[in-house]
Amino acid sequence: MDTTLNDTLRTRKETGSHFTSTGLADVVAKRLINELNKLEIDNQNKLRVLDPACGDGELLLSFKRLAELNSFNNVDLVGVDENQQAVERAVTRLEEVKAENLDLIPNDFLEMINIEENISLFENESKKIDPVDVIIANPPYVRTQVLGSEVAQSLAKKFNLKGKVDLYQAFIIAMTMQLKPGGLLGVITSNRYLTTKGGESLRKFFRENYEIIEVMDLGDTKLFEAAVLPSIFIGRKKSNKVIENNSPANFYKIYEEKKSELIDEAVGFDSVFELLENLESGTFKVEEKFYSTLIGKLIFPESHKEPWVMASDEEYKWIEEVNQASYARFEDIGDIRVGIKTTADNVFISESWDELDTELKPESELLVPLHSADNASRWLPIEKKPKREILYTHTMVDGKKEVIDFTQYERGFNYLSSHREQLEGRKYVTKSRNWYEIWVTQNPGLLKLPKLIFPDISTEPKFFYDDGSCFVDGNCYWISLKDGVDNDLLYLLLGIANTAYLTKYHDIAFQNKLYAGRRRYMTQYVNKYPVPNPDTVYAKDIIKQVKSLVFNELTVEEKSKIEKEIEELTEKAFGVKK
Ligand SMILES: C[S@@+](CC[C@H](N)C(=O)[O-])C[C@H]1O[C@@H](n2cnc3c(N)ncnc32)[C@H](O)[C@@H]1O
C-alpha cells in the first residue's frame, strides 16, 4: 500500500472507515456463533478470532460478548488496523470488557500477507501469528478512483485481481489466506457483487474458496452509513479434510417498501436488527418505515458471469425435484448455436430477390430461406417457410466448410460486386478472408440438418422445428442433435421447451426477465433445461403430439388443445407437479 500517505489527513472516504453499528456487528457475530454451535465443538477449545480492519473494535466486541453468552470462553482476539488511533481506542474498549488474550496490531493488513509464496504468513515485528478459526470483518470499501491508479495496480498485481479493483476484494483474498481450512468468515461487503457483471471475480472467489452458508442483502436499509449498500457473507473456507456439506446457501434480502397498500396488516418490530432475526418473508413495520424481507436459497449458475439467483424455499425445492427427476439436460442431447451474422444484412438478406434485374439476380442455388426473430412463432408449422432469403456464401466440400466458388455463379458475383464498397468496408472480414463473405457463417452441413429454432428475446417461448431447408438469422439460436441421437428427441425438446412448465423453470433458475416481461433465451440457459426420460409413455406421447403441431396447419382451438395436453404430459413425464 502507499505508505507515503499521511493517515491522519485521509478522509473517511479515502480509508473506507465507516464503522459498524453495534446492531449490525451483532447480526454478523450471531450468525458466526450459530455456525460454531452447529459444529458441536468443545466450548473450551481455543478459538482464534481476527478482524483485520478492526477500527475501534466493534466487531470484536460483539463477537466476544455473544461468544461468552454461548459459553465460548476461550477466545483469542486479534485485531489489525492501519489507523493507530483507532487501534488505541479498540485496546481501551476491549480492555474495558476484560478481554484477555488480546492482540491488537497497528498495521496495514494487506502488507502482512505474503501472497507471492502463497502462504498465510502473518508477521508482526518478527512475531508470527497463526492462522485463525474465525474472521469477522467490515473491510474498507475503497474504489479504484479513490485508491489512485498506482495503488490499484499494485493491489491488482499482488492479489491477482481483474477489472475494477476495490480494496475490499484484496481484503477478502488476504483474509482467506489467514483463515484455517474449515474456518468461518463473516464479512460485511458491498452488495454490488451479487448482481453486477463486475462482481464476477468475487463471486468466483467465494464459490471456489468457500462453502457458502448465507448471504444477506441489506440493500437500502441504511444500516450502514457508507454510500455503498451492504451485504453480509457467511462462509466456511473449503478444506480437503472436511467432507463437503451440500446444504444449499441461505439467502436473505431486505429492502425498504414504498408501496403503502401492503402496509396495514404489517407486523411491527422495534428495530431493523430485530427484524433481521425474524426468518420469515413478508412486509414488516419498524417505527414509521416498512420493509419487505425475502428468505430463500441461492442457486449458483455454472458460469461465474451470471449473478447468483435467489429462489424462495418452495421454488428451490421444486427446481431440485425437477432436476432430480430429469434424465438429461438439453446440452447432453443437442448443440445450441447462434444463427448466421452477415454484418451486411441489407446486402445478403432480402425478401425481394425477384425484383432485381436479371443480370444481378443471384442463382437460386445461392439463396436459402432464412428464419428470423420476427417470423418466429411457437410450433411454427413446417410448411410456413419464411419469405426472407439469404445469399449464403459457403458450402460443404468433402465435409469441410468452404467459400463458394463464385466463378460458377456469375449473377451472384455481379450482385455482390454491386455492393463491393460496402462489403470491403468490413475490415475485420477482409483482413483474412474474401470481401464478399458472410461474417459468421455457421456450419452449412449442420444447418441443413433438422433443428429447433428459437429467438433470443421474447415474452414467451417460441421454439419451432425446421427440417433443414431453412437457415437461421443471428437474432435466433438453433439446436441440432448430437451425433447418433434419435431425431425424435428433437420433438421432445421442442414439446417441453414451449411449455409453461419449463418457463417456470427458466424464470426461477435464471431470473433474467428484461423490461416488459421479455425473457432472454440464451445458450447458457437453454443448455440447462431439463429433459424427462424419453422412454416413458408420456415422453413418447409428447413426441407424437408435437409432430401433429409441426406437420399440420391447425386452427387456434386445435392447437391450444394439444398444447394443454403437452403441458399435462410434461408434468407427468417429470413426475413433479408444476
Ligand atoms: C469500514 S471500517 C471498519 C472498522 C471496524 N471493523 C468496524 O466494523 O467498525 C474499515 C477499517 O479499515 C481500516 N483500514 C483501511 N485500510 C486498511 C489496511 N490496509 N489494513 C488495515 N486496516 C485498514 C480503516 O482504518 C478502518 O478502520
Side-chain angles (χ1 to χ4, degrees), residues 16-223:
S17 38
H18 295 275
F19 290 172
T20 315
S21 68
T22 310
L24 188 54
D26 281 357
V27 172
V28 188
K30 252 183 216 164
R31 275 159 164 85
L32 287 169
I33 288 164
N34 276 349
E35 287 309 310
L36 290 171
N37 279 332
K38 279 188 208 156
L39 291 178
E40 294 177 2
I41 47 174
D42 182 348
N43 286 7
Q44 299 320 308
N45 281 357
K46 189 189 282 299
L47 270 184
R48 293 176 49 72
V49 181
L50 165 72
D51 180 349
C54 66
D56 58 10
E58 194 64 52
L59 288 161
L60 291 174
L61 274 166
S62 270
F63 190 91
K64 181 176 183 304
R65 184 165 35 77
L66 293 166
E68 270 171 13
L69 281 177
N70 284 270
S71 313
F72 290 100
N73 295 320
N74 193 0
V75 177
D76 279 4
L77 298 177
V78 186
V80 180
D81 201 291
E82 65 171 10
N83 179 336
Q84 173 95 34
Q85 286 134 350
V87 172
E88 282 163 16
R89 282 198 304 277
V91 172
T92 314
R93 296 179 78 200
L94 283 153
E95 281 177 350
E96 269 170 23
V97 298
K98 303 198 173 50
E100 292 158 6
N101 305 328
L102 185 62
D103 198 357
L104 293 174
I105 306 158
N107 211 342
D108 179 336
F109 177 67
L110 300 178
E111 298 247 298
M112 297 167 84
I113 294 289
N114 185 341
I115 200 145
E116 284 85 13
E117 290 172 31
N118 200 21
I119 48 167
S120 51
L121 184 69
F122 193 65
E123 283 187 83
N124 177 39
E125 291 161 3
S126 81
K127 182 171 70 161
K128 260 193 195 171
I129 299 179
D130 295 332
V132 298
D133 302 287
V134 177
I135 293 183
I136 183 164
N138 179 2
Y141 316 84
V142 185
R143 288 173 301 135
T144 313
Q145 296 94 305
V146 184
L147 280 176
S149 62
E150 211 178 294
V151 177
Q153 274 168 23
S154 80
L155 281 177
K157 196 165 166 238
K158 177 164 179 177
F159 292 100
N160 194 19
L161 296 167
K162 305 224 162 58
K164 284 189 188 152
V165 175
D166 189 299
L167 203 52
Y168 79 80
Q169 289 173 280
F171 256 87
I172 283 166
I173 295 171
M175 290 191 292
T176 305
M177 298 189 71
Q178 192 53 38
L179 191 59
K180 283 183 193 167
L184 290 173
L185 173 68
V187 63
I188 301 172
T189 70
S190 148
N191 70 357
R192 283 184 57 74
Y193 79 94
L194 293 170
T195 48
T196 60
K197 229 177 147 216
E200 178 184 345
S201 54
L202 194 53
R203 290 194 295 266
K204 180 168 188 273
F205 186 84
F206 276 149
R207 287 274 286 136
E208 287 175 351
N209 292 280
Y210 288 89
E211 179 197 308
I212 300 172
I213 297 169
E214 182 169 19
V215 173
M216 298 181 82
D217 182 356
L218 305 178
D220 58 358
T221 45
K222 307 195 181 62
L223 294 180

Side-chain angles (χ1 to χ4, degrees), residues 467-481:
D467 57 3
S469 55
C470 301
F471 282 3
V472 187
D473 200 355
N475 51 24
C476 291
Y477 291 95
W478 52 290
I479 309 177
S480 57
L481 292 174

